Amino acid sequence: MHKFLVISIFSASLLLQACGNDDGDADKTQSNPTPVAQATPSPEPNGSDDHSKVVTDTLLLNTLVKHNEGAFIPAQCYTKTRASNGEVHNPCYACHQPEREPNYLDDGDLQLEYGFRPVTQENKWTNLFKDRSADVAAISDEEITHWVRTSNYFDSNGKIILAEKMADVPANWDFTRDNTWNGFTPDCYYNFDDEGFDRAPSGERTGWRAFAYTPFLGTFWPTNGSTDDVLIRLAPALRQNGEGIADDNIYKLNFAVVEAMIKRANIAIPATEEALYGVDLNRNGTLDVAEEVVYDWKPLEGRRMEYVGKARDLLQAGDLHIAAGLYPEGTEFLHTVRYIDVDDSGEIKLAPRMKELRYTIKASWNNYSQLRNAALSEVKEADTFPERLRSVKGNPEIGLGNGVGWVYQGFIEDKHGDLRPQSYEETVACVGCHSGIGATDDSSFAFPRRVASSYPQAGWSHWSQRGLAGIMEPQWADGTWEYTEYLKQNKSANEFRTNNEVIAKFFDAEGELIPAKITALHGNIGELLLPSPERALELNKAYKVIVDEQSFIYGRDAHIAPLDNVWQNVPEGELTGVESLVVKKY
């Protein structure tokens, strides 16, 4: 649609009331619960110690941007796609794709040109250019191992540290000055049963459910420095029967319906008597025994799908919504970004220590017409006011809205390793990828990539139960092996092309992929995604240096040597050298 989509704002004005409604839902848009906050630059502190103090004592109580007005543009977008030998690399296609309804962000042209505005041509992610060799060398293997194995989420009694602090909210977290924490309070115990459901110490399910997925391309592969997990929780109505009583079978069926709508595909379920729920799950015209939720969504032809239980009643009343490619209101995701643990046998595992705890909730519904108008309005605003950058609504306590219904909130390590709320500017960095690229499904990355039900626990498991090793490489609809294609296009496992371990393992001296390694990757993504123990330790140390500095607004990518394949200033009108788009086939 337009090259500026990725580097501008979905403002409140984009949530427009629209006439016409392709998805069959009423034209409703609830107001975003986050107050308006303007991004205003503030003075630079002198040195990392000052920055640490500013973050702790000041930035959590305002919505200032201290350093990077374009923090919604990730550091990876400044990658030099042309190598010094003239070879062209294309990691850009991973995020930038032609529109796929209802994501009307057609930003595939950013594979071909950088498209930066003058104000964002300067790369403010200056941590990329630091040499951390001496700092990393000063941290022993024993020290970093102890660090990553020490939980900063649970205390010694198994209580959630953040929740305990929020019960008596620290003054420097209390943006609203009302002595009450008004944002998300962590309530997941990371204690999963054999269906992936989290259980509280009382034994009750918290509603959170873990799922196995194939990690998104590039940065979030563990080989690049972090392990992570993602959990999902649906709104209470989708967990209840018609009388409002919690019902696990209804909850599981509604998960299958939501997954079918997001993936736009049939989803296998245990044999289910449809008459118990009054819903034709397999779409065969009769209430019988269903073994799958069949995706059949053509509302203009009278073909619609339904939830079960109380959610069905709310759907019929117009108080809850359903549409292909969209989650229902009240859907929540909980995402932890963690260090990499290496056990005594050298196996790569999810570390107890969290780098970040990320949370989002779908706070309002936008139908297809509203989402389309939002995207079109964004193009118009970019053309009319090219000097404007995004102005994100929200604050560090309540979270930041992404302009299309979702509110995001994050927690990150302070200099002592305890989790604290992210500042406004630190959270803006999260909102960018979840609202301004063509590759997401309703602003999400992981759930559309959930593995098939043929995997152990039907794919509902946490990485602490079953790891990445043994999961098959994902394929596009045309048979393209997804991770292999990334290696072909980028010649490395990360956008910056600095993962020499993967380069040495998968490419020969001429830079060609080694067939035997690719064959092994097809059957086991761990061959590519998991780092060696030595690399894991070094990247853990590199990130620990950033924590000590509290310099996240200058970049939070773990590296040791300064990066060469990155622009410090992108020339105006610069082309990537890519000649044709790589388009994912669904």
Side-chain angles (χ1 to χ4, degrees), residues 131-160:
D131 186 344
R132 302 193 182 280
S133 302
D135 293 325
V136 168
I139 303 174
S140 69
D141 291 353
E142 293 75 20
E143 179 184 352
I144 197 64
T145 298
H146 177 74
W147 179 260
V148 305
R149 291 182 179 176
T150 302
S151 176
N152 55 355
Y153 185 81
F154 293 112
D155 66 17
S156 58
N157 296 315
K159 293 183 178 180
I160 300 172

Side-chain angles (χ1 to χ4, degrees), residues 243-515:
E243 287 70 47
I245 300 172
D247 186 308
D248 288 347
N249 289 326
I250 282 176
Y251 195 17
K252 287 183 282 188
L253 285 174
N254 280 328
F255 266 124
V257 174
V258 170
E259 186 173 4
M261 298 304 289
I262 291 296
K263 289 184 174 180
R264 285 152 270 195
N266 299 347
I267 302 298
I269 57 175
T272 300
E273 289 281 356
E274 294 176 331
L276 295 174
Y277 309 100
V279 175
D280 183 13
L281 296 168
N282 59 13
R283 311 296 295 157
N284 66 356
T286 186
L287 297 180
D288 55 7
V289 177
E291 295 186 349
E292 63 180 350
V293 172
V294 171
Y295 174 71
D296 183 26
W297 179 255
K298 294 285 185 180
L300 296 181
E301 300 175 11
R303 292 154 56 189
R304 300 173 181 270
M305 296 178 67
E306 294 183 291
Y307 306 117
V308 298
K310 185 176 181 179
R312 183 190 183 212
D313 298 336
L314 294 179
L315 179 66
Q316 293 176 344
D319 295 324
L320 190 67
H321 301 87
I322 191 169
L326 298 177
Y327 298 95
E329 304 96 310
T331 299
E332 301 169 273
F333 286 102
L334 193 62
H335 176 205
T336 74
V337 182
R338 308 192 188 206
Y339 292 85
I340 307 170
D341 193 10
V342 182
D343 68 16
D344 294 338
S345 65
E347 182 179 353
I348 300 298
K349 302 177 67 175
L350 200 70
R353 175 170 293 276
M354 298 179 184
K355 296 179 176 180
E356 300 178 48
L357 178 68
R358 301 175 175 181
Y359 169 79
T360 185
I361 182 170
K362 187 167 185 176
S364 62
W365 177 264
N366 294 279
N367 62 39
Y368 283 16
S369 296
Q370 292 163 328
L371 293 171
R372 183 187 296 110
N373 283 351
L376 291 173
S377 297
E378 174 62 9
V379 172
K380 180 179 179 180
E381 182 171 329
D383 284 339
T384 306
F385 305 104
E387 75 283 356
R388 289 184 183 176
L389 291 179
R390 57 190 312 176
S391 175
V392 184
K393 295 167 57 179
N395 64 61
E397 182 176 348
I398 295 176
L400 275 58
N402 76 344
V404 287
W406 294 86
V407 176
Y408 289 83
Q409 186 163 33
F411 305 88
I412 200 163
E413 288 180 284
D414 66 18
K415 68 185 305 179
H416 305 292
D418 298 324
L419 292 172
R420 60 161 175 82
Q422 289 191 148
S423 70
Y424 174 86
E425 183 175 351
E426 288 165 344
T427 308
V428 167
C430 300
V431 170
C433 290
H434 289 281
S435 63
I437 64 174
T440 57
D441 290 276
D442 199 4
S443 302
S444 73
F445 288 91
F447 191 69
R449 304 178 64 87
R450 195 180 84 84
V451 301
S453 58
S454 57
Y455 280 87
Q457 295 187 204
W460 294 104
S461 62
H462 188 251
W463 298 131
S464 61
Q465 296 173 304
R466 288 177 174 80
L468 289 165
I471 294 178
M472 290 186 63
E473 182 182 359
Q475 290 180 274
W476 293 350
D478 64 353
T480 298
W481 294 97
E482 186 174 29
Y483 291 172
T484 301
E485 182 67 18
Y486 187 81
L487 293 177
K488 288 179 180 178
Q489 295 293 334
N490 193 42
K491 299 294 181 74
S492 182
N494 67 340
E495 295 83 352
F496 304 127
R497 303 193 303 280
T498 55
N499 193 321
N500 293 327
E501 184 169 274
V502 164
I503 293 172
K505 181 176 181 179
F506 281 85
F507 294 89
D508 61 22
E510 285 70 44
E512 299 298 324
L513 286 168
I514 301 172

Side-chain angles (χ1 to χ4, degrees), residues 195-241:
E195 293 183 297
F197 286 105
D198 175 56
R199 291 187 179 273
S202 65
E204 295 183 3
R205 287 177 169 175
T206 63
W208 290 111
R209 196 177 195 188
F211 57 92
Y213 55 94
T214 55
F216 191 75
L217 302 173
T219 294
F220 273 101
W221 289 347
T223 184
N224 294 320
S226 298
T227 55
D228 72 334
D229 59 5
V230 182
L231 315 178
I232 184 172
R233 180 165 64 184
L234 303 182
L238 287 105
R239 311 176 219 163
Q240 300 169 350
N241 63 22

Side-chain angles (χ1 to χ4, degrees), residues 554-570:
Y554 304 98
R556 58 185 85 173
D557 297 282
H559 67 89
I560 300 172
L563 303 188
D564 295 324
N565 298 324
V566 183
W567 290 103
Q568 295 193 28
N569 284 276
V570 181

